[in-house]
Amino acid sequence: MKLTLGYIHIRDVQFGPATKVKGGVLYVNAEELIAKIKEDERIAGVKVELARPGEKVRILPVKDVIEPRVKVEGPGGVFPGMVSKVETVGSGRTHVLKGAAVVTCGKIVGFQEGIIDMSGPGAEYTPFSQTYNVVLVIDPVKGLPQHEHEAAVRMAGLKAAAFLGEAGREVEPDEVKEYECLPLPQAVARYPDLPKVVYVYMLQSQGLLHDTWVYGVDAKRILPTLISPTEVMDGAIVSGNCVSACDKNTTYHHQNNPVIEDLYERHGKDLNFIGVVITNENVTLADKERSSNYTAKLVEFLGAEGAIITEEGFGNPDTDLIMNCVKISRKGIKTVLITDEYAGRDGASQSLADAAPEADAVVTAGNANETITLPPMEKVIGYPETADVMAGGFAGSLQADGSIKVEIQAITGSTNELGFSRLSARQY
């Protein structure tokens, strides 16, 4: 499979009479966008706001972040199984509004949504302080159950990203990159002298608003399986969860998975990137055993000599992480883990809920329990009072002057496991 990504660099976002890209500016017709989203009867109200890097703006509670894209050549469409029909993606040509993002927020769904600050100390912890954000403040109809609320907000974000992505269909990209995934025999034969490396991609699937979707299927319903890295880059995986904001893989993270991008960068130089195994994170011991057994079998079946494993979430999924590590390592395959830690505010507690001697090459994304004070902002998009109830916050987090004292786990993407891949690749 060969995928061409055409990057259209966005340097500003503004409201305008028509949704289009011109001169690096994304113009948004808010009325058309709102009408598209309110086609869903579960949504009572939508407000569209804009947030740019460096502005004194705070967004909370953040549910998801999605990059606008459009499929211009080849089979399938954006977000297959959700927005587009269920066709295999990962080949052809897709245009990307690089630098733009759709951010969904509004009435809190669960309690693990997050915060994005566009400036100040909090901006240093989130990649989305550097994107030009089209923010959707979405309120559900009264009495809507939580799962329906989550689904409505999820679909609103995906539809908005597809709507905005269409603005790039006829635009000549500023940058073009090609990515190819060969059938296994050809992939091995091309670089026979380089170590064969597989990426084990753990997807949040604990249920109770902790879900990830693969071609429109809840990941807890799948057995571990193979997927082309180009499928991931082309929108086959989307977020549907409210796990703690710091280590949630937003849809944007899936679209721009840095482990995949870094492995492609090293491919053919000092390693041979031969594939991706996606697996889930379950809550029962039998399901954990089944998935970790199957994952280790697939990695061995591919003939891998090394595996990089990323976890999504913490606590219960730490067990899945260690099971995958132990079983793959015992097959003689070198294994590197990427995870964040919850070591207490003083850093003195056990940082993972599970451990094993085989976990001897671990890249940390930081301690999510560290605290930070976010200064007041000139503008708050969303509902600031949710700071007191979201994960990482506590009663009294929101101060009278508008400042917020929280653990950094409340900041979207702050210790995300997908942000620290380069160190793991250097272990080989």
Side-chain angles (χ1 to χ4, degrees):
M1 302 176 77
K2 182 180 289 185
L3 176 65
T4 300
L5 293 179
Y7 295 106
I8 301 164
H9 297 307
I10 302 300
R11 295 182 291 274
D12 194 12
V13 59
Q14 300 178 19
F15 289 120
T19 299
K20 63 180 181 180
V21 173
K22 184 177 181 180
V25 179
L26 171 61
Y27 295 93
V28 180
N29 182 312
E31 290 74 21
E32 289 183 358
L33 180 55
I34 290 171
K36 185 73 174 177
I37 294 168
K38 289 198 71 176
E39 291 173 356
D40 190 332
E41 295 180 351
R42 297 172 294 187
I43 294 175
V46 183
K47 187 177 182 181
V48 180
E49 301 268 13
L50 304 179
R52 305 172 182 85
E55 293 182 336
K56 294 182 179 181
V57 173
R58 172 167 297 143
I59 310 167
L60 81 163
V62 174
K63 170 65 169 59
D64 196 10
V65 184
I66 313 103
E67 186 171 61
R69 297 187 173 195
V70 60
K71 194 78 179 170
V72 296
E73 293 177 8
V78 294
F79 312 121
M82 302 293 257
V83 173
S84 302
K85 293 181 179 180
V86 184
E87 292 186 71
T88 301
V89 294
S91 60
R93 183 182 178 101
T94 297
H95 284 182
V96 181
L97 301 191
K98 181 56 64 180
V102 172
V103 177
T104 52
C105 76
K107 297 287 187 180
I108 198 164
V109 178
F111 60 91
Q112 293 184 307
E113 286 97 323
I115 300 170
I116 295 174
D117 276 2
M118 300 304 295
S119 63
E124 299 177 10
Y125 288 87
T126 174
F128 306 117
S129 63
Q130 302 304 309
T131 51
Y132 291 89
N133 299 321
V134 178
V135 185
L136 307 180
V137 184
I138 302 170
D139 293 328
V141 298
K142 290 183 179 180
L144 192 68
Q146 279 183 300
H147 284 81
E148 286 295 303
H149 185 183
E150 185 280 321
V153 176
R154 172 175 15 109
M155 291 305 301
L158 298 176
K159 288 178 180 178
F163 173 82
L164 296 177
E166 281 290 338
R169 180 178 291 277
E170 303 298 333
V171 178
E172 186 64 28
D174 299 290
E175 181 184 9
V176 175
K177 290 186 177 181
E178 286 190 351
Y179 299 90
E180 187 173 27
C181 180
L182 295 172
L184 184 61
Q186 296 178 33
V188 173
R190 176 167 288 187
Y191 302 110
D193 298 326
L194 295 178
K196 298 181 289 295
V197 177
V198 167
Y199 173 36
V200 177
Y201 193 175
M202 293 174 56
L203 305 176
Q204 178 58 248
S205 57
Q206 293 176 273
L208 298 177
L209 304 179
H210 288 52
D211 300 300
T212 305
W213 300 81
V214 182
Y215 282 101
V217 174
D218 191 330
K220 66 174 157 292
R221 295 171 52 195
I222 71 169
L223 280 172
T225 189
L226 305 176
I227 191 170
S228 167
T230 60
E231 291 176 81
V232 179
M233 302 173 95
D234 213 15
I237 300 175
V238 304
S239 174
N241 71 68
C242 299
V243 72
S244 286
C246 65
D247 52 11
K248 173 195 294 188
N249 293 335
T250 66
T251 298
Y252 190 103
H253 284 98
H254 293 300
Q255 295 170 295
N256 297 277
N257 186 310
V259 178
I260 290 176
E261 291 184 0
D262 286 356
L263 285 171
Y264 264 123
E265 180 65 26
R266 306 286 292 275
H267 179 61
K269 298 176 182 177
D270 51 8
L271 56 82
N272 188 354
F273 178 30
I274 59 172
V276 176
V277 174
I278 55 172
T279 185
N280 45 24
E281 301 170 354
N282 298 297
V283 293
T284 69
L285 180 58
D287 286 331
K288 291 177 183 292
E289 293 283 10
R290 182 182 300 109
S291 288
S292 56
N293 287 341
Y294 217 93
T295 297
K297 178 182 69 175
L298 287 174
V299 173
E300 181 183 37
F301 178 76
L302 290 171
E305 298 166 78
I308 295 175
I309 308 175
T310 59
E311 174 189 15
E312 182 176 15
F314 67 98
N316 186 291
D318 292 347
T319 304
D320 303 84
L321 178 72
I322 297 302
M323 281 184 168
N324 287 326
C325 172
V326 169
K327 293 176 182 180
I328 293 170
S329 296
R330 288 179 180 175
K331 292 180 179 295
I333 301 166
K334 293 181 179 180
T335 305
V336 175
L337 312 182
I338 307 177
T339 181
D340 64 356
E341 305 174 64
Y342 283 76
R345 294 180 184 177
D346 60 358
S349 300
Q350 178 175 322
S351 59
L352 296 178
D354 201 359
E358 288 83 355
D360 58 2
V362 182
V363 178
T364 178
N367 178 17
N369 292 134
E370 292 184 18
T371 58
I372 186 173
T373 298
L374 306 175
M377 292 285 164
E378 293 178 357
K379 180 178 180 180
V380 177
I381 300 174
Y383 296 89
E385 64 274 14
T386 58
D388 286 358
V389 296
M390 66 173 54
F394 44 85
S397 280
L398 179 62
Q399 307 294 303
D401 66 351
S403 61
I404 298 176
K405 184 177 181 180
V406 289
E407 295 181 357
I408 61 173
Q409 66 168 297
I411 300 175
T412 300
S414 58
T415 58
N416 186 284
E417 291 89 340
L418 292 187
F420 290 81
S421 57
R422 287 179 175 81
L423 288 175
S424 64
R426 291 193 185 114
Q427 296 288 338
Y428 292 108

